[in-house]
Amino acid sequence: QSQFVESGGGLVQPGGSLRLSCVASGINFHHYGTGWFRQAPGKEREWVSCISRNSGVTNFADSVKGRFAISRDDAKKTVYLEMNRLKPEDTARYYCAADIVSDEDECGMTSYPYTFWGQGTQVTVSE
């Protein structure tokens, strides 16, 4: 089965940090850009960040810009989301997926080009 498996979530205090990992299984990882999304209870899924296939382009939602970083390790078929200065409003379930449409120097900022969704990892930011 082709999918991603996310990990690294947990409970953290405001201002803290977490590093999420997303490992590809059964996917030609180096062929695709990769994106992170999140969904809080009662809200729609929200795009957070993406990285292009060649790692040359990264994009971030305004709500996380300057606090989050994204990277990828093709040898490990893994994409990372480094989250710093976390806020309670960052609380959500975080998902990654592959962008199967964009060129090697682009990555999608909507759900449209993404597939191979994982099950997600929960991030809770609270005192």
Side-chain angles (χ1 to χ4, degrees), residues 39-59:
Q39 188 167 20
K43 295 187 177 181
E44 293 188 352
R45 185 170 57 194
E46 172 190 24
W47 171 80
V48 175
S49 180
C50 66
I51 184 167
S52 63
R53 187 195 317 167
N54 64 5
S55 299
V57 171
T58 58
N59 292 305

Side-chain angles (χ1 to χ4, degrees), residues 66-111:
R67 300 188 296 121
F68 289 13
I70 189 171
S71 60
R72 60 187 288 160
D73 184 334
D74 283 6
K76 295 182 179 180
K77 295 187 177 181
T78 301
V79 60
Y80 303 97
L81 187 68
E82 186 77 35
M83 306 187 296
N84 301 304
R85 304 202 308 275
L86 283 161
K87 305 175 181 180
E89 51 263 45
D90 294 318
T91 295
R93 193 162 187 87
Y94 284 71
Y95 301 86
C96 64
D99 177 359
I100 63 171
V101 174
S102 297
D103 292 335
E104 65 176 1
D105 56 355
E106 300 174 330
C107 61
M109 293 184 280
T110 68
S111 298

Side-chain angles (χ1 to χ4, degrees), residues 5-72:
V5 179
E6 300 92 341
S7 63
L11 174 64
V12 62
Q13 292 185 335
S17 299
L18 282 174
R19 187 193 197 203
L20 305 184
S21 299
C22 178
V23 181
S25 175
I27 301 169
N28 288 326
F29 181 77
H30 64 283
H31 285 179
Y32 307 120
T34 314
W36 283 96
F37 293 75
R38 66 187 182 187
Q39 188 167 20
K43 295 187 177 181
E44 293 188 352
R45 185 170 57 194
E46 172 190 24
W47 171 80
V48 175
S49 180
C50 66
I51 184 167
S52 63
R53 187 195 317 167
N54 64 5
S55 299
V57 171
T58 58
N59 292 305
F60 298 91
D62 288 343
S63 59
V64 306
K65 198 171 293 183
R67 300 188 296 121
F68 289 13
I70 189 171
S71 60
R72 60 187 288 160

